[in-house]
């Protein structure tokens, strides 16, 4: 009787360049087929990282089965792309690690081939940018991407990113995903201008470094 071989796939990916550490697959005869009624559990995840550092998802397949291939994937465009793979140990446990080299923000999942996948949130890979904020004294003025600036306007100004582009920002452990709604800043060395409402949510004051996925 020919042994069954099933590959577990994990969190999708983008067209960006990643340094992935794929685990070496065991010989075909040693690979295990995932249980028909399996369940993916996740007990640790590190999905907010700076470029060049490793993202991590750790969990287990229930009921446990050794040698099952599991993958970490991210969603880009209309497709899921695999970042890295690993195989379960004797207890069904797995650890998925990937070192992303470029900023990105994408939905992530762990998936077993031919079986259900489990969402693990968003993978956010950040770089550092210099930002400032604006608002008071400018309320009522037209925004570069349409609409009018108000005290409650959420978003950022950027010189070149297309209007409507989503940007994930992080400051002091707080994370916020907003759109490009205006043009600017026009002070040298600054990449982003946060609206007053955005700055308040992130507790960002004055000007300085902020983490961004774009």
């Amino acid at each position: 009787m020919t042994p069954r071989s099933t590959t577990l796939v994990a969190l999708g990916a983008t067209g960006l360049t990643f340094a992935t550490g794929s685990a070496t697959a065991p010989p075909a005869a040693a690979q295990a087929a995932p249980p028909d009624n399996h369940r993916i559990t996740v007990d640790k995840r590190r999905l907010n990282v700076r470029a060049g550092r490793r993202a991590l998802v750790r969990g287990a397949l229930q009921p446990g089965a050794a040698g099952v291939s599991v993958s970490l994937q991210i969603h880009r465009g209309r497709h899921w792309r695999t970042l890295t793979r690993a195989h379960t140990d004797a207890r069904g446990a797995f650890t998925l690690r990937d070192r992303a080299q470029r900023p990105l923000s994408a939905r992530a999942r762990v998936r077993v081939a031919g079986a259900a996948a489990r969402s693990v949130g968003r993978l956010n890979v950040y770089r550092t940018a210099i930002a400032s904020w604006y608002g008071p004294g400018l309320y009522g003025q037209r925004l570069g991407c349409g609409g009018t600036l108000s005290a409650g306007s959420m978003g950022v100004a950027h010189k070149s990113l297309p209007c409507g582009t989503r940007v994930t920002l992080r400051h002091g452990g707080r994370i916020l995903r907003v759109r490009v709604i205006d043009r600017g800043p026009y002070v040298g060395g600054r990449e982003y201008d946060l609206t007053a409402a955005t700055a308040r949510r992130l507790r960002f004051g004055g000007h300085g470094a902020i983490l961004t996925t774009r």
Side-chain angles (χ1 to χ4, degrees), residues 45-207:
R45 69 193 81 189
R46 184 168 64 239
L47 296 175
N48 286 281
V49 297
R50 293 183 184 234
R53 297 188 179 178
R54 288 185 183 274
L56 177 146
V57 177
R58 180 178 295 153
L61 193 65
Q62 301 293 340
V68 179
S69 177
V70 183
S71 302
L72 175 64
Q73 299 178 328
I74 60 173
H75 193 261
R76 303 298 283 180
R78 298 182 179 180
H79 306 285
W80 289 95
R81 180 166 179 173
T82 297
L83 298 180
T84 188
R85 294 183 177 87
H87 291 84
T88 57
D89 64 16
R91 298 174 295 110
F94 62 84
T95 300
L96 294 158
R97 296 184 179 90
D98 180 75
R99 192 188 304 277
Q101 301 295 345
R102 298 182 183 179
L104 68 89
S105 181
R107 288 187 291 132
R109 72 180 185 179
V110 173
R111 183 173 180 268
V112 177
R118 169 162 181 166
S119 171
V120 291
R122 295 192 75 85
L123 172 62
N124 292 314
V125 180
Y126 301 97
R127 67 176 180 86
T128 300
I130 302 301
S132 51
W133 70 277
Y134 70 114
L138 299 175
Y139 298 145
Q141 293 191 9
R142 297 287 296 173
L143 294 166
C145 296
T148 302
L149 181 66
S150 70
S153 297
M154 297 291 297
V156 296
H158 192 276
K159 293 178 184 176
S160 58
L161 285 175
C163 290
T165 299
R166 289 184 177 273
V167 179
T168 302
L169 303 172
R170 185 176 186 181
H171 180 70
R174 289 166 290 277
I175 298 172
L176 189 61
R177 189 163 172 80
V178 295
R179 294 181 183 273
V180 174
I181 62 171
D182 203 0
R183 292 304 179 204
Y186 298 105
V187 176
R190 301 181 191 180
E191 292 186 60
Y192 289 95
D193 237 352
L194 283 58
T195 64
T198 301
R200 274 196 308 274
R201 290 278 296 274
L202 291 170
R203 298 184 188 175
F204 177 88
H207 71 278

